Amino acid sequence: MSYTAAASAPGGHQIDIAVLASGSGTNLQALIDDSDIRPHIVAVLSDRPGVGALERAKHAGIRTHVTSWSDYATRAEFSAALADVVEETGAKGVVLAGFMRILSPAFIDRFPGRILNVHPSLLPAFPGAHAVEMAVEHGVKVTGVTVHIVDEKVDHGPIIAQQAVDMEVGDTVESLHERIKVVEHEIYPRVVRAFVGETLNI
Ligand code: GRF
């Protein structure tokens, strides 16, 4: 599997994206800072009010919306409401950037093959919310970053790009995650550029 870095497919068609984020939003910032991607980010959506990602979006003049997890009784209802918001923005693609909720299969079905995720490990190793902690606990010598298309399983689906990050002597979860994020901020914009330009070869 490979991806190309071309800005757009022959004919120049590009798609708009909604970015979903739950946290500090450093990956979102890397996307905002890419001049090929920024014009295509039509909204930043979160499951939590007050997070750094929303502030970064507002600062960049991007529309924001919170679909609060706690307002819904079930994952299915939360996901349906969120999918409605994505559709309403006109986005054709969904980019998860530190989004910490599992989306329902119905959400995935509404954007088939059009949801990207970045994960802080070399999948299929260490799926889930504690990938960096698990890598440190297991004492692996190499971990890394994976960018993949989202399917109905957690941290699963066709892999688009991976890059290794070496463990260093004395690494803590924090120091390792910091180096992982440096790599994320390089490879995620490259893939998202191709995604927006519809030149991803899966
Ligand atoms: C990143 O490490 C991402 O891989 C993981 O959550 C973290 C989000 O960081 N899913 P940030 O909010 O983009 O700074």
Side-chain angles (χ1 to χ4, degrees):
M1 287 169 205
S2 63
Y3 62 94
T4 72
S8 65
H13 184 255
Q14 298 193 307
I15 62 163
D16 285 339
I17 56 173
V19 180
L20 275 52
S22 306
S24 66
T26 64
N27 277 284
L28 166 67
Q29 191 66 52
L31 302 178
I32 289 173
D33 291 344
D34 187 307
S35 58
D36 287 332
I37 297 170
R38 165 66 191 90
H40 296 283
I41 306 175
V42 290
V44 171
L45 313 179
S46 184
D47 57 313
R48 295 167 61 193
V51 295
L54 292 169
E55 289 313 309
R56 290 173 190 273
K58 283 179 196 152
H59 191 252
I62 299 169
R63 170 184 173 183
T64 62
H65 184 89
V66 176
T67 301
S68 201
W69 173 256
S70 52
D71 287 348
Y72 298 88
T74 64
R75 181 182 315 284
E77 287 168 47
F78 165 78
S79 301
L82 188 56
D84 287 345
V85 176
V86 173
E87 263 175 16
E88 200 267 308
T89 68
K92 297 287 176 252
V94 178
V95 172
L96 309 184
F99 187 68
M100 301 310 282
R101 299 288 172 192
I102 297 166
L103 296 162
S104 72
F107 185 104
I108 316 292
D109 281 351
R110 279 172 70 174
F111 307 97
R114 290 188 283 125
I115 309 172
L116 273 186
N117 185 38
V118 62
H119 183 77
S121 76
L122 293 175
L123 291 171
F126 311 136
H130 304 289
V132 183
E133 288 87 338
M134 285 163 78
V136 171
E137 268 166 33
H138 279 259
V140 295
K141 301 299 180 207
V142 178
T143 181
V145 174
T146 302
V147 179
H148 66 99
I149 301 281
V150 173
D151 68 11
E152 60 292 330
K153 293 189 199 152
V154 176
D155 296 326
H156 188 270
I159 290 173
I160 307 294
Q162 287 188 306
Q163 193 167 314
V165 174
D166 286 337
M167 194 74 85
E168 288 177 3
V169 177
D171 249 340
T172 60
V173 170
E174 291 69 32
S175 64
L176 177 60
H177 203 170
E178 218 168 280
R179 289 204 316 288
I180 283 175
K181 282 194 179 191
V182 171
V183 172
E184 290 183 333
H185 301 162
E186 265 171 44
I187 73 170
Y188 211 24
R190 279 209 316 262
V191 175
V192 172
R193 233 178 285 145
F195 184 61
V196 163
E198 298 205 288
T199 59
L200 268 190
N201 298 318
I202 301 161

